[in-house]
Amino acid sequence: MTEDTTQDARRLDHGYVLDDQVGFLLRKAWQRNTVIFTEKMATGLTPTQFSVMYRLSEVGSVSQNQLGRSVAMDGATTKGVVDRLIARGLLTTRPDPDDRRRHLVSLTDAGWEVFEASVMIAHEVTADTLSALTAAEQRTLVRLLAKIQ
């Protein structure tokens, strides 16, 4: 057996097919969604920035720690996202009246305007990302993804 033949045989012995693995497929789907998001999002928000702003539109003022947990981001990532949005004038912080050690994060008026301009685009991003699926398949995918969290 030549070295190339041995390598070919070794490649097939493990039974693992990368293209069939959930993590690989999720990453590819995430990449597709991110490309579509970046192309469409005229407001210049990233997916994580949009998630933060969306959550703030729902809950109002919240601590940075609670905000990060509510959008599944670690503390360092949340701080970076919040700092960048503050620098753009889209978020503000103020001391928590119940706990002076903590600051509450909220949308500014400009933040609300950017959020409102972005939310309809976000609908389009989702529709484009899922466009290869039927409506029933789309509902099933979203239900199953929510189930494995």
Side-chain angles (χ1 to χ4, degrees):
M1 235 182 187
T2 68
E3 185 176 329
D4 287 341
T5 306
T6 303
Q7 287 295 332
D8 288 342
R10 289 181 70 191
R11 283 189 197 110
L12 300 175
D13 285 346
H14 52 68
Y16 191 91
V17 178
L18 180 64
D19 293 325
D20 293 341
Q21 303 310 308
V22 68
F24 182 73
L25 294 169
L26 287 171
R27 185 176 60 78
K28 285 178 63 178
W30 172 251
Q31 286 174 329
R32 173 179 161 75
N33 178 261
T34 301
V35 166
I36 293 168
F37 191 99
T38 302
E39 288 173 354
K40 287 190 167 284
M41 193 54 67
T43 59
L45 295 177
T46 66
T48 53
Q49 290 172 342
F50 177 78
S51 295
V52 162
M53 293 181 70
Y54 180 87
R55 190 64 75 211
L56 288 171
S57 78
E58 286 184 318
V59 300
S61 295
V62 66
S63 75
Q64 188 167 296
N65 187 304
Q66 291 169 312
L67 176 61
R69 286 194 318 261
S70 76
V71 292
M73 288 193 298
D74 62 72
T77 302
T78 304
K79 179 175 179 3
V81 170
V82 167
D83 287 350
R84 283 187 287 284
L85 291 171
I86 288 171
R88 286 185 60 186
L90 304 178
L91 301 185
T92 190
T93 62
R94 64 179 171 80
D96 184 337
D98 298 325
D99 184 346
R100 291 289 181 188
R101 297 169 296 173
R102 183 172 35 202
H103 282 78
L104 301 177
V105 181
S106 58
L107 291 169
T108 63
D109 289 341
W112 274 104
E113 289 177 22
V114 168
F115 169 73
E116 289 170 349
S118 300
V119 74
M120 292 311 296
I121 297 168
H123 282 293
E124 293 174 22
V125 170
T126 297
D128 287 359
T129 300
L130 299 175
S131 64
L133 305 176
T134 67
E137 289 170 333
Q138 291 176 21
R139 288 188 300 276
T140 298
L141 176 63
V142 171
R143 180 179 52 79
L144 292 173
L145 288 173
K147 191 173 183 176
I148 63 173
Q149 291 184 44

